[in-house]
């Protein structure tokens, strides 16, 4: 299949690229490199052992999208491109709505015009807001609590409406939990610009002595050890979920297909620190601080639907995730 990856140079997109090439798909990346580096493309070439086709461009550029879809005879789009920092979205909501929501509308218009009927969207567990029950299944009420989350929720609504007006369209909405880890080669991984917001990349920089200590945001949650619990999923398992979702769209008649992509198992911040110590032999200095605004105590997925319908199964452990993230950090001497 000829597949366009918007945001394909980013963290999840680049890992998905590798898995799609592995399944012999033709893949083209479109990215504006606002949150990724072009060096990722060279690393991808080392992994897949062939030139990477890419376009430097923006999903807000309608004529570029139209040209790209037609030139590469694109049959399916996986839409990763988006801004994703929760705190930044609170300070710059219009930038988030424009990039994520207007960008997606633009992309859908181009798909409509080019008659591209398969679309996979990167959504997030953030659309569920504060969990009302656990594990979170796909029927859990939706209640995003920050502008970033609301962009994802709005896009989901737009996709549902769009599918009602275009009967050929087959859409997969993938709600990721906490993607972590890196490619087994150590050549690509999570490399956020500036000080990381997320636990694992922050921890890697502490281990690498770029940051002095990890701040644990709260140790008096109603959890066994008092620290927050999340569903960390290896980025390669996540990438393989996209391949399965795309193949599923070839066979389904259902217009909208929503899947949680998580492991179904929660780990606390302290367990992640211990896993790092065990897997890599490095201990992480930490200090307990107050709770971070907007954080919930516990969040993990019910992933039965993806397992059953997509025949997908996450295989990597928390230690695999941590080990691979550390390999990437060391191999690339990220500073
Ligand atoms: P990322 O920032 O590493 O990758 C996104 C890519 O999109 C970047 O390469 C960026 O340069 C590109 N991009 C952004 N806006 C663009 C635009 N207007 N035009 C073209 N390219 C653009 O992020 P990621 O972690 O790989 O996330 C990918 C998607 O998954 C995002 O939509 C994100 O919201 C979603 N998601 C991520 C997580 C996570 O924790 N990483 C969790 C849930 C959902
Ligand atoms: C995990 C746990 C923190 C950093 C975010 C987004 C969500 C999704 C995934 C995109 C929590 C604790 C963290 C630190 C800590 N992204 N923590 N010290 O908040 O679950 O989800 O990324 O869609 O939308 O909100 O992930 O990695 O930031 O936090 O103690 O320095 O680690 O309190 O319990 P989160 P995270």
């Amino acid at each position: 299949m000829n597949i366009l990856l918007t945001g394909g140079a980013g963290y999840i997109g680049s890992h998905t690229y590798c898995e799609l090439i592995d399944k012999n798909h033709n893949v083209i990346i479109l990215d504006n490199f606002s949150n990724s580096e072009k060096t990722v493309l060279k690393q991808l070439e080392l992994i897949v052992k062939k030139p990477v086709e890419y376009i430097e461009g923006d999903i807000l550029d309608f004529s570029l999208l139209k040209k790209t879809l037609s030139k590469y005879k694109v049959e399916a789009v996986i839409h990763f491109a988006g801004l994703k920092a929760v705190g930044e979205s609170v300070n710059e909501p219009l930038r988030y709505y424009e990039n994520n929501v207007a960008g997606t509308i633009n992309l859908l218009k181009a798909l409509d015009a080019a008659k591209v009927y398969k679309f996979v969207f990167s959504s997030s567990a953030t659309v569920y807001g504060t969990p009302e029950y656990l594990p979170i299944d796909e029927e859990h009420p939706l209640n995003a609590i920050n502008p970033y989350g609301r962009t994802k929720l709005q896009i989901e609504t737009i996709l549902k409406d769009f599918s009602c007006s275009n009967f050929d369209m087959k859409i997969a909405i993938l709600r990721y939990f906490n993607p972590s880890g890196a490619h087994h080669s150590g050549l690509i991984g999570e490399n956020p610009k500036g000080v990381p917001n997320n636990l694992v990349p922050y921890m890697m920089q502490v281990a690498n002595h770029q940051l002095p200590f990890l701040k644990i945001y709260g140790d008096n949650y109603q959890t066994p050890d008092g620290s927050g619990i999340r569903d960390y999923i290896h980025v390669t398992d996540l990438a393989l979920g996209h391949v399965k979702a795309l193949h599923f769209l070839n066979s389904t008649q259902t217009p909208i297909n929503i899947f949680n992509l998580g492991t179904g198992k929660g780990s606390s911040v302290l367990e992640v620190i211990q896993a790092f110590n065990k897997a890599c032999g490095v201990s992480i200095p930490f200090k307990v601080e107050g709770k971070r605004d907007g954080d919930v105590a516990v969040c993990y997925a019910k992933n039965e639907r993806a397992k059953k319908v997509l025949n997908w199964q996450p295989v990597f452990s928390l230690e695999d995730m941590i080990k691979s993230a550390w390999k990437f950090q060391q191999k690339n001497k990220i500073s």
Side-chain angles (χ1 to χ4, degrees):
M1 224 189 302
N2 299 331
I3 304 165
L4 174 70
L5 303 190
T6 71
Y11 173 45
I12 303 168
S14 58
H15 289 78
T16 305
Y17 178 88
C18 298
E19 301 309 322
L20 289 167
I21 295 291
D22 190 54
K23 302 283 179 306
N24 294 318
H25 291 293
N26 301 316
V27 189
I28 165 99
I29 288 173
L30 184 143
D31 204 300
N32 67 1
F33 300 98
S34 58
N35 199 38
S36 51
E37 302 293 341
K38 282 199 189 140
T39 49
V40 167
L41 305 168
K42 287 273 158 260
Q43 305 294 77
L44 286 178
E45 291 189 344
L46 291 174
I47 295 171
V48 302
K49 298 186 178 58
K50 62 177 189 180
V52 169
E53 292 218 63
Y54 80 97
I55 292 167
E56 181 166 3
D58 202 294
I59 55 167
L60 287 161
D61 183 344
F62 182 71
S63 72
L64 175 71
L65 292 178
K66 255 182 74 179
K67 249 188 273 164
T68 305
L69 294 174
S70 139
K71 178 172 172 198
Y72 293 94
K73 298 189 170 46
V74 171
E75 298 164 273
V77 174
I78 308 185
H79 179 33
F80 298 101
L83 299 172
K84 62 166 183 176
V86 171
E88 193 178 66
S89 79
V90 174
N91 295 323
E92 300 176 67
L94 299 183
R95 186 170 151 239
Y96 269 68
Y97 284 109
E98 180 175 38
N99 193 79
N100 293 5
V101 181
T104 304
I105 292 173
N106 211 33
L107 179 60
L108 293 174
K109 280 165 62 183
L111 255 70
D112 206 21
K115 299 193 182 350
V116 176
Y117 295 130
K118 291 184 194 74
F119 188 73
V120 178
F121 173 59
S122 296
S123 189
S124 168
T126 198
V127 297
Y128 296 118
T130 306
E132 292 182 12
Y133 56 83
L134 290 161
I136 300 180
D137 59 23
E138 290 86 351
E139 313 311 324
H140 185 284
L142 303 176
N143 182 27
I145 54 172
N146 54 63
Y148 164 69
R150 283 189 281 274
T151 69
K152 292 291 175 191
L153 201 46
Q154 290 186 3
I155 294 167
E156 288 200 7
T157 307
I158 290 165
L159 289 173
K160 287 170 193 164
D161 286 342
F162 180 52
S163 75
C164 295
S165 72
N166 181 333
F167 299 117
D168 295 312
M169 200 70 200
K170 301 289 176 284
I171 296 172
I173 292 175
L174 305 181
R175 295 181 180 150
Y176 315 152
F177 279 66
N178 288 64
S180 305
H183 192 263
H184 62 81
S185 64
L187 290 168
I188 55 171
E190 192 169 13
N191 185 13
K193 293 190 171 169
V195 179
N197 296 309
N198 296 113
L199 179 64
V200 173
Y202 198 103
M203 195 182 271
M204 293 301 141
Q205 294 200 8
V206 172
N208 217 19
H209 307 294
Q210 292 160 248
L211 294 166
F213 58 88
L214 177 72
K215 300 171 194 161
I216 297 184
Y217 296 135
D219 69 346
N220 59 355
Y221 283 111
Q222 297 277 309
T223 61
D225 65 26
S227 66
I229 291 180
R230 296 292 183 276
D231 187 337
Y232 298 94
I233 173 158
H234 196 296
V235 65
T236 297
D237 277 332
L238 194 64
L240 287 165
H242 291 73
V243 178
K244 296 270 187 180
L246 202 58
H247 293 172
F248 171 73
L249 291 185
N250 281 327
S251 58
T252 187
Q253 292 306 314
T254 312
I256 288 280
N257 304 275
I258 302 178
F259 300 100
N260 281 341
L261 293 183
T263 63
K265 184 182 173 301
S267 305
S268 73
V269 176
L270 287 167
E271 283 171 339
V272 178
I273 294 173
Q274 277 156 15
F276 191 58
N277 197 339
K278 191 167 159 215
C280 310
V282 180
S283 58
I284 304 286
F286 63 82
K287 288 186 187 167
V288 175
E289 306 228 334
K291 290 178 182 174
R292 188 172 62 174
D293 273 356
D295 269 356
V296 301
V298 185
C299 177
Y300 58 95
K302 185 167 165 62
N303 62 4
E304 305 308 321
R305 187 186 285 174
K307 281 186 183 166
K308 193 167 157 223
V309 179
L310 300 181
N311 191 25
W312 169 82
Q313 173 83 45
V315 295
F316 293 104
S317 67
L318 181 61
E319 283 176 17
D320 295 330
M321 280 178 240
I322 300 290
K323 246 188 189 160
S324 61
W326 185 227
K327 181 174 176 181
F328 171 70
Q329 185 83 23
Q330 288 182 305
K331 201 169 170 127
N332 297 280
K333 300 208 174 14
I334 299 164
S335 56

